[in-house]
């Protein structure tokens, strides 16, 4: 069965860093684009970053440009999100999913369970 599992979240101080992992099982992700999304309490789920299967096309939401880096290691069947210079407004549950990088969250599939990121002093 197709599954994605997010991990790597936690509690960090402003300015800190985390690396999130999105591990695939039941399929090999080398032919798929993978998106990272986040949802804060009372807010709509929003796109954060996305990477094409080729790895040559990458999207970042404006608020995370220069701070977050998406990458993939197809040999490990995993996509990563390196998050640096974290801000309190980055606090959310972070999800990964399969879909087209130009599509809204509702068009993505195989959502993971999410991993909590909390940025607080």
């Amino acid at each position: 069965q197709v599954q994605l599992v997010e991990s790597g979240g936690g509690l960090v101080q402003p300015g800190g860093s985390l690396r999130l992992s999105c591990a695939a099982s039941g399929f090999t992700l080398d032919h798929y684009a993978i998106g990272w999304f986040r949802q804060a309490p009372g807010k709509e789920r929003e796109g954060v970053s996305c990477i094409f299967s080729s790895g040559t096309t990458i999207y970042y939401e404006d608020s995370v440009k220069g701070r977050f880096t998406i990458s993939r290691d197809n040999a490990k069947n995993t996509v990563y999100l390196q998050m640096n210079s974290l801000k309190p407004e980055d606090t959310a549950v972070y999800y990964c999913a399969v879909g087209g990088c130009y599509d809204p969250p509702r068009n993505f599939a195989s959502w993971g369970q999410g991993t909590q990121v909390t940025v607080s002093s």
Side-chain angles (χ1 to χ4, degrees):
Q1 196 166 6
V2 174
Q3 288 185 325
L4 294 174
V5 178
E6 303 93 339
S7 62
L11 173 64
V12 297
Q13 293 185 332
S17 298
L18 287 172
R19 188 181 74 162
L20 306 185
S21 297
C22 174
S25 63
F27 72 105
T28 54
L29 54 69
D30 60 334
H31 294 295
Y32 298 93
I34 302 294
W36 281 100
F37 303 83
R38 65 187 180 187
Q39 187 168 22
K43 302 291 186 180
E44 295 292 321
R45 188 170 297 184
E46 64 175 353
V48 176
S49 186
C50 193
I51 185 168
F52 265 48
S53 60
S54 65
T56 60
T57 300
I58 297 174
Y59 161 84
Y60 296 104
E61 198 274 329
D62 286 344
S63 68
V64 308
K65 288 180 179 177
R67 300 189 297 120
F68 291 11
T69 302
I70 191 170
S71 63
R72 64 192 304 148
D73 187 340
N74 290 336
K76 297 181 179 179
N77 219 25
T78 301
V79 172
Y80 302 98
L81 185 68
Q82 178 67 45
M83 306 187 298
N84 299 325
S85 302
L86 284 162
K87 304 174 180 179
E89 51 263 44
D90 295 319
T91 296
V93 177
Y94 283 71
Y95 302 88
C96 60
V98 177
C101 286
Y102 302 109
D103 290 349
R106 63 180 177 271
N107 290 348
F108 281 69
S110 300
W111 294 91
Q113 83 288 345
T115 185
Q116 176 71 50
V117 172
T118 302
V119 185
S120 177
S121 60

